[in-house]
Amino acid sequence: MAYETALAVLADPTRRQVFERLRGGPSPVNVIAAGLPVSRPAVSQHLKVLRDAGLVEERSEGVRRIYSLRREGLSELRDWLDGFWDDALLAFKIEAERSHRKMKGKADE
């Protein structure tokens, strides 16, 4: 799954709420839907989109379907975001070294 897909899928606020509710562990649709401003069938549709994007998985328990997060489904998105952090840390390191050389130069005068 490409990070673009994860971003697009999670851009929907209701879908993001559905996704975030799974942070607490595997849950059936009725538990996920409780308190949301959409119907259970709508939550099921959001879960299907999340599943098709590789962000959640489902398993059957009798007649119920239990949904859970696929942490590996977020790995590409995380790698992409980590790239920004790596860039920021490198820029900080370069600036800190430049500042240190500048301060050291003043102390040598």
Side-chain angles (χ1 to χ4, degrees):
M1 174 193 76
Y3 72 87
E4 295 99 342
T5 303
L7 286 173
V9 167
L10 294 172
D12 181 276
T14 302
R15 195 170 299 129
R16 207 168 40 251
Q17 280 184 300
V18 168
F19 184 74
E20 288 173 2
R21 285 177 176 227
L22 292 171
R23 289 177 79 176
S27 299
V29 175
N30 63 325
V31 171
I32 298 167
L36 288 176
V38 295
S39 66
R40 283 193 335 204
V43 169
S44 292
Q45 286 299 318
H46 285 296
L47 286 164
K48 180 186 181 319
V49 172
L50 290 164
R51 189 190 71 225
D52 290 348
L55 296 172
V56 301
E57 58 192 7
E58 68 175 298
R59 70 176 194 282
S60 294
E61 273 187 15
V63 296
R64 297 185 332 163
R65 298 214 180 275
I66 307 298
Y67 292 87
S68 57
L69 294 178
R70 281 191 73 245
R71 299 201 189 280
E72 57 275 6
L74 285 173
S75 64
E76 201 168 317
L77 176 59
R78 182 178 178 155
D79 291 344
W80 180 71
L81 291 170
D82 283 348
F84 287 99
W85 179 243
D86 293 343
D87 292 347
L89 286 175
L90 178 59
F92 178 77
K93 177 183 180 228
I94 290 168
E95 180 58 28
E97 288 171 348
R98 187 190 66 75
S99 180
H100 177 72
R101 283 191 304 272
K102 187 177 177 182
M103 294 300 287
K104 188 176 178 186
K106 285 184 180 179
D108 291 341
E109 292 177 359

